[in-house]
């Protein structure tokens, strides 16, 4: 039989190689590992007790509430109201629709919390319109792929809550830490579009646009933008000022989305049912992942795999920044053939203890991990958002065109990682205000 530290990871990879879903692969490997390392039947009982104990954590409450909030904004059409308002407010500028994609997509990603959902929606609505206006493929597809990934780091992010839960770090601090990096990334995207329009004006040709009166602009801001953004601001403000925990802030967010839906008279029974069903499906998957990860972490500690890896990694006597880049590279490589939650389940039990030994701030390191997941979401050839875009893009769009459109925005994210390494305060300043 396989020796100690390599047994569980080896079993997981073996189960995945034969097509077993990642969550079931973890559970199966955990059962076998618990039987082998922890005393047979008693070990399995202890593993199950620890797994159900992890599920009873109050820290998991924000996940279904944030998901419900995002589903309500999506199913009731309130997210698109905000997007259309930003479209009308932008005015006549070169590459206007690309800018609208970044500005509106950032807001929509913030409200939805779902990269795949926002990418699918914006891709199906905006790419055909931009192509009709004469935009080149990279100007239409690239900004959507970039802003779809912003949902991972800008709160409320269900993936950030899940990462903080698995890594046992402060959920509220990690959510707030993503605000400044997310805004910096959005600004880098805007700069990329500006450079494209300067180098090749024909990439986003101007077209006639009916002017919007000032009074109508003010009404759009007051009725279609401020109410939606106020929900996100409320969530962040409640956590930032210490008035609410992440769970309570998430509850206010879901309640706020529901109240707005009733105010705008777009809440229907069908929209509510679809919102609850969508949130429930993802929540059940997330809870199964937490169960598997909790038992996996315990098994790694019991078998000596975690301590063995830390001793092996630190024996190379490399500078901490080189170890960080090595872990970042591993996340990117895994992202080319695995989805993000699976990557977290495999790497968090190893990477966060190692980061602690190396002296990294856990919140700062969590943002680095989320950025790596965001980059891998759109990294050729198998990034998940690339295939989402292929599914909703106009007929005739090739994967090569989608790959080419994604690369400048991947480079923007890489630049942000470099800025975070050089200036950690970008991620740690706002969480420090809470303390």
């Amino acid at each position: 039989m396989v020796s100690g530290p390599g047994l569980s990871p080896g079993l997981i990879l073996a189960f995945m190689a034969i097509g077993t879903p990642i969550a079931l692969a973890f559970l199966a490997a955990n059962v076998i590992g618990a039987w082998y390392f922890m005393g047979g039947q008693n070990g399995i009982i202890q593993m199950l007790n620890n797994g159900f104990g992890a599920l009873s954590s109050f820290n998991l409450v924000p996940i279904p509430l944030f998901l419900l909030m995002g589903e309500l904004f999506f199913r009731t059409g309130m997210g698109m109201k905000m997007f259309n308002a930003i479209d009308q407010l932008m005015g006549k500028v070169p590459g206007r629709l690309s800018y609208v994609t970044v500005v509106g997509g950032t807001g929509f990603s913030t409200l939805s919390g779902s990269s795949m959902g926002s990418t699918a929606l914006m891709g199906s609505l905006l790419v055909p319109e931009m192509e009709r206006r004469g935009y080149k493929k990279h100007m239409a597809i690239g900004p959507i792929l970039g802003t779809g990934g912003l949902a991972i780091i800008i709160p409320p992010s269900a993936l950030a809550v899940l990462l903080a839960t698995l890594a046992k770090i402060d959920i509220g601090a990690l959510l707030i830490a993503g605000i400044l990096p997310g805004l910096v990334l959005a600004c880098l995207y805007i700069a990329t579009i500006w450079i494209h329009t300067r180098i090749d004006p024909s990439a986003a040709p101007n077209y006639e646009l009916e002017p919007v009166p000032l009074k109508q602009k003010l009404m759009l801001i007051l009725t279609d933008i401020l109410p939606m953004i106020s929900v996100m601001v409320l969530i962040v403000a409640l956590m930032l000022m210490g008035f609410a925990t992440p769970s309570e802030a998430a509850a206010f967010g879901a309640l706020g989305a529901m109240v707005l839906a009733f105010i705008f008279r777009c809440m229907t029974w069908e929209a509510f049912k679809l919102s609850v069903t969508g949130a429930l499906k993802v929540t059940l998957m997330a809870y199964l992942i937490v169960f598997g990860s909790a038992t996996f972490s315990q098994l790694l500690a019991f078998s000596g795999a975690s301590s063995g890896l830390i001793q092996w990694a630190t024996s190379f006597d490399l500078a901490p920044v080189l170890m960080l880049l090595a872990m970042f590279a591993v996340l990117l490589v895994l992202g080319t053939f695995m989805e993000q939650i699976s990557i977290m389940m495999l790497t968090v039990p190893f990477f966060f203890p190692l980061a602690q030994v190396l002296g990294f701030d856990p919140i700062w390191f969590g943002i680095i991990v989320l950025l790596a997941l965001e980059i891998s979401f759109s990294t050729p050839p198998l990034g998940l958002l690339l295939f989402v875009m292929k599914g909703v893009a106009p007929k005739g769009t090739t994967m090569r065109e989608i790959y080419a459109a994604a690369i400048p925005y991947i480079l923007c994210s890489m630049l942000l990682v470099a800025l975070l390494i050089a200036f950690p305060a970008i991620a740690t300043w706002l969480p420090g205000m809470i303390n």
Side-chain angles (χ1 to χ4, degrees):
M1 188 171 284
V2 182
S3 62
L7 176 60
S8 293
L11 283 173
I12 291 170
L13 294 176
F15 281 123
M16 290 174 62
I18 61 175
T20 307
I22 180 69
L24 297 181
F26 265 80
L27 290 176
N30 289 345
V31 170
I32 296 173
W35 184 278
Y36 180 75
F37 288 115
M38 301 169 65
Q41 182 178 347
N42 291 333
I44 293 177
I45 293 173
Q46 183 179 347
M47 180 199 75
L48 292 174
N49 288 336
N50 288 334
F52 285 116
L55 288 182
S56 64
S57 172
F58 193 65
N59 291 333
L60 293 175
V61 173
I63 294 178
L65 292 173
F66 280 149
L67 290 171
L68 177 60
M69 185 189 73
E71 288 284 336
L72 285 169
F73 275 113
F74 177 72
R75 300 292 180 182
T76 59
M78 290 189 294
M80 282 311 301
K81 283 175 64 72
M82 183 189 71
F83 202 96
N84 292 331
I86 293 173
D87 181 20
Q88 295 182 60
L89 291 172
M90 285 295 293
K92 188 177 181 180
V93 295
R96 165 179 158 270
L97 288 178
S98 296
Y99 289 118
V100 168
T101 300
V102 173
V103 177
T106 300
F108 186 76
S109 297
T110 300
L111 295 173
S112 71
S114 168
S115 293
M116 287 187 290
S118 58
T119 299
L121 181 64
M122 291 189 296
S124 60
L125 292 176
L126 292 178
V127 174
E129 176 64 18
M130 283 194 269
E131 286 199 359
R132 190 176 70 83
R133 301 283 187 181
Y135 281 57
K136 292 185 178 179
K137 296 278 189 184
H138 67 89
M139 292 295 290
I141 293 173
I144 294 174
L145 290 173
T147 52
L150 284 171
I152 294 179
I153 57 175
I154 293 183
S157 166
L159 198 66
V161 174
L162 186 57
L163 175 65
T165 303
L166 297 179
K168 297 180 176 61
I169 59 179
D170 190 312
I171 294 174
L174 185 62
L175 286 171
I176 291 170
I179 296 174
L180 283 182
L183 294 177
V184 170
L185 189 56
C187 291
L188 291 174
Y189 290 163
I190 290 174
T192 300
I193 295 169
W194 183 84
I195 292 171
H196 278 157
T197 57
R198 288 293 181 272
I199 294 175
D200 182 13
S202 65
N206 284 322
Y207 55 90
E208 291 301 320
L209 186 69
E210 187 175 334
V212 179
L214 177 60
K215 183 178 179 181
Q216 186 178 342
K217 287 183 178 181
L218 293 175
M219 287 300 297
L220 287 172
I221 293 172
L222 291 174
T223 59
D224 291 359
I225 295 179
L226 284 182
M228 317 304 174
I229 297 299
S230 65
V231 175
M232 188 272 287
V233 173
L234 174 67
I235 292 172
V236 174
L238 287 173
M239 292 188 293
L240 195 60
M241 293 185 290
F243 291 151
T245 65
S247 300
E248 293 164 345
F252 278 116
L255 178 62
M258 197 172 299
V259 169
L260 284 179
F262 278 110
I263 291 175
F264 286 113
R265 298 182 179 180
C266 54
M267 174 64 81
T268 63
W269 173 247
E270 185 66 20
F272 179 78
K273 186 170 65 174
L274 289 173
S275 299
V276 173
T277 303
L280 181 61
K281 286 180 180 178
V282 181
T283 299
L284 290 175
M285 179 186 68
Y287 276 38
L288 183 61
I289 287 166
V290 171
F291 182 93
S293 180
T295 53
F296 181 58
S297 299
Q298 182 197 21
L299 198 57
L300 289 177
F302 198 88
S303 65
S306 298
S307 58
L309 176 72
I310 292 172
Q311 291 174 6
W312 175 79
T314 54
S315 67
F316 290 106
D317 197 27
L318 295 175
V321 68
L322 293 179
M323 291 298 298
L324 173 68
L325 294 177
M327 288 188 282
F328 190 83
V330 169
L331 292 170
L332 292 185
V333 171
L334 290 176
T336 61
F337 59 90
M338 291 175 63
E339 49 87 26
Q340 277 56 36
I341 295 177
S342 303
I343 296 172
M344 286 199 303
M345 291 182 69
L346 279 175
T347 59
V348 165
F350 296 107
F351 281 8
F352 274 83
L354 181 57
Q356 185 177 8
V357 171
L358 294 170
F360 296 149
D361 182 288
I363 302 300
W364 172 83
F365 182 69
I367 294 297
I368 296 288
V369 171
L370 286 173
L371 273 171
L373 296 176
E374 183 266 327
I375 294 169
S376 67
F377 237 22
S378 53
T379 299
L382 300 174
L384 192 58
L385 291 187
L386 302 175
F387 292 96
V388 173
M389 178 58 68
K390 174 63 175 174
V392 299
K395 189 175 181 180
T397 303
T398 65
M399 287 305 297
R400 185 172 182 175
E401 290 172 327
I402 294 175
Y403 293 161
I407 288 173
Y409 298 89
I410 292 173
L411 294 177
C412 287
S413 298
M414 292 288 195
L415 176 58
L416 177 59
V417 173
L419 290 173
L420 284 169
I421 293 174
F423 308 103
I426 296 174
T428 58
W429 178 66
L430 277 179
M433 291 181 64
I434 301 177
N435 297 329

